[in-house]
Amino acid sequence: MTKLPYDKTNPADILRYSEELEGITFQNVLQKIFSGEELEEKVKYYNNPRSKGGLGNLLEEHYYFYSPNSISDADFVEAGVELKVTPYEINKNNQYKAGERLVITMIPNNEPISNDFETSHLKQKISHILMVWYERIRGEARTKQRIQYVNLYNLYSEICKNDLEIIRNDYKRITEKIIAGKAHELSEGDTQYLGACTKGATAERSLQPQYYNDSIPAKRRAFSLKQSYMTYVLNQYVKKRKMSFDAIFTPADLQKADLETQVIERIEKYVGNTEEALYSMFGFTNTQGNRPKHINTLLVNRMLGVQTDQAEEFAKADIKIKTIRVQKNGKPKESMSFPKIKIKEFVRQDFEESAEYNFFQETKFLFVVFKETNTGEYILKGAKFWNMPIMELEEIGRVEWESYKKKFLTGVNFTITKDKSGKEIIKNDLPSKSEHTIFHLRPHAQKSAYVINGKRYGMGNDRDMDDLPNGDKMTCQCFWLNNNYIAKIIEDI
């Protein structure tokens, strides 16, 4: 093709041409050029998950008519625009969610890296991104997926002013760790919107020497926009859906200090107040019996100046607020629960591809601590951001996670006894909390329910049970962070 159907030097014209993709499938793109056996071969090639030709390559070659270029340049070089093809999904509640993080560019491991975002290679790749969004329907061939939205993301635009400041801080945090020779300690939970994700294989063969530390190898990683941030971009910037979030900070605030520092400063203004005093201060005047279960989370939001259920910055970064009540002895009253697992899916996973690994290496928590006084009241002691250190997760966490997988596969043994009233008590031999440092499994259901050797036990129903590999059923399980482990995390508070 001698003349392109768009002006490759003009971002606005590239967007104009790209918007013609909306409503068509990737196969429709191929059908405009190929037919017959040649079309069948192309469709087969792009549908093959093992082929190197991804959906982005399909558009580059057969819609924009250029060959994939080197990673050092933007895809549309003359316009300074990067092309990214990315999926989204719609859940049963009609909520739109980004299908995955958006990988931008590899982090170099064999050469120096700039600590200044404005002079970095990343800035060239992330400043202007042509995002082509397709609805991913599980089980449907890749080329039959339909493109629904196209937008030109401009990090330096007015709507992204806050995002730019946070991404600058994220970049600085990542590069400081790399330059300190600690690339092996990088985790996506370290940052807010910009992550350092593992790229490709996560096994030992993916380890590479560090430029700044030749004694400890590190996994290959890439700069990426986090999935939670991409979900926000899709809903707010692309679909322009109104979402009930309040921003905590202005761009001017974020230029003074990073988000985490300022969040802690705002909460610390209220240290020493009792829960009841804070409820009164922020207008939670309902009688105690009618207060919502998540009242302390709402309270934290009010302290931050947020009048909705969630802060905009926390939604974009998927920061989890966890309020912790600590007893007089300094130990949290309870361990901390997480979503229940599906045992048959759990045992088919490897640790580094598991939901638990992904959750703990990606998620940042804001722990807000209330401590019991001698009179039984709880006073605010302080707060801190925390994400699980990657070395801890990959060493201790791996062993503990794999102990449960092994037990499910070899078989859970049950003992059935009766208490004084004649009620049946079912115990199992899963590894206990006392055997583990970080997390343990225990029931997550309204009532206990089992099917053991064909006989049913417990007062629960089918929804309270999960299938075991051997055909038995047991009460649904979920992971809990040990309260002893949490106590060590917050002991400085």
Side-chain angles (χ1 to χ4, degrees), residues 264-405:
I264 300 303
E265 285 177 353
R266 288 200 183 186
I267 293 172
E268 286 183 342
K269 291 178 183 176
Y270 301 98
V271 165
N273 285 285
T274 66
E275 284 179 327
E276 291 300 324
L278 290 167
Y279 296 154
S280 177
M281 193 181 301
F282 289 100
F284 295 109
T285 55
N286 292 344
T287 60
Q288 193 163 353
N290 291 330
R291 286 176 180 155
K293 290 182 179 180
H294 66 308
I295 187 169
N296 278 1
T297 300
L298 295 175
L299 185 61
V300 173
N301 279 323
R302 299 301 181 270
M303 284 189 266
L304 295 174
V306 175
Q307 300 305 311
T308 56
D309 282 1
Q310 193 171 15
E312 178 184 310
E313 293 90 341
F314 285 17
K316 290 177 182 176
D318 196 25
I319 293 170
K320 309 291 187 189
I321 297 174
K322 293 287 185 180
T323 58
I324 302 170
R325 291 179 124 205
V326 176
Q327 302 170 101
K328 296 172 191 174
N329 63 7
K331 185 181 290 187
K333 289 186 71 174
E334 299 174 342
S335 297
M336 189 177 292
S337 67
F338 295 92
K340 62 186 176 183
I341 66 169
K342 285 286 186 184
I343 295 170
K344 283 190 172 180
E345 294 176 11
F346 177 82
V347 298
R348 286 198 295 266
Q349 296 173 328
D350 292 324
F351 177 64
E352 289 192 357
E353 280 75 49
S354 70
E356 292 71 37
Y357 177 84
N358 287 328
F359 179 82
F360 284 113
Q361 75 101 13
E362 292 173 6
T363 304
K364 185 180 287 289
F365 298 90
L366 173 61
F367 289 152
V368 183
V369 180
F370 294 84
K371 187 169 183 185
E372 185 181 17
T373 67
N374 290 331
T375 60
E377 294 180 297
Y378 282 85
I379 63 168
L380 177 64
K381 295 294 289 184
K384 71 183 295 184
F385 282 93
W386 176 85
N387 58 286
M388 191 177 292
I390 195 70
M391 305 301 286
E392 211 164 83
L393 176 62
E394 293 186 347
E395 293 173 6
I396 302 171
R398 179 195 301 275
V399 171
E400 295 182 355
W401 186 92
E402 288 181 345
S403 71
Y404 288 109
K405 177 178 176 178

Side-chain angles (χ1 to χ4, degrees), residues 99-231:
E100 56 197 35
R101 64 178 67 84
L102 188 69
V103 176
I104 306 298
T105 188
M106 294 300 296
I107 298 174
N109 68 317
N110 59 351
E111 60 186 51
I113 188 168
S114 172
N115 189 231
D116 178 13
F117 176 76
E118 292 300 321
T119 61
S120 69
H121 170 59
L122 176 65
K123 183 193 172 184
Q124 299 172 35
K125 305 285 278 188
I126 202 175
S127 296
H128 294 85
I129 304 175
L130 179 67
M131 295 182 180
V132 178
W133 299 82
Y134 66 93
E135 183 180 354
R136 183 167 63 194
I137 298 175
R138 302 282 180 174
E140 195 170 82
R142 291 201 292 175
T143 57
K144 289 189 176 180
Q145 311 280 347
R146 192 172 299 277
I147 298 163
Q148 299 288 15
Y149 306 104
V150 175
N151 75 295
L152 189 58
Y153 170 89
N154 180 357
L155 183 57
Y156 286 80
S157 65
E158 184 68 20
I159 63 170
C160 290
K161 283 195 302 186
N162 278 27
D163 301 1
L164 173 60
E165 295 304 326
I166 289 174
I167 286 171
R168 278 175 173 154
N169 280 320
D170 287 343
Y171 178 82
K172 183 179 180 182
R173 183 167 292 190
I174 292 168
T175 54
E176 282 178 346
K177 213 168 203 179
I178 292 170
I179 292 169
K182 296 181 179 180
H184 57 289
E185 296 181 9
L186 281 171
S187 169
E188 288 189 78
D190 292 340
T191 49
Q192 316 297 338
Y193 304 169
L194 181 73
C197 68
T198 52
K199 181 67 174 166
T202 56
E204 191 171 331
R205 65 180 180 274
S206 74
L207 295 173
Q208 301 284 336
Q210 298 183 52
Y211 178 82
Y212 295 98
N213 182 350
D214 58 10
S215 62
I216 304 176
K219 290 178 182 176
R220 294 290 285 120
R221 289 183 177 270
F223 288 114
S224 64
L225 293 174
K226 293 188 178 185
Q227 185 175 6
S228 54
Y229 177 74
M230 290 298 291
T231 295

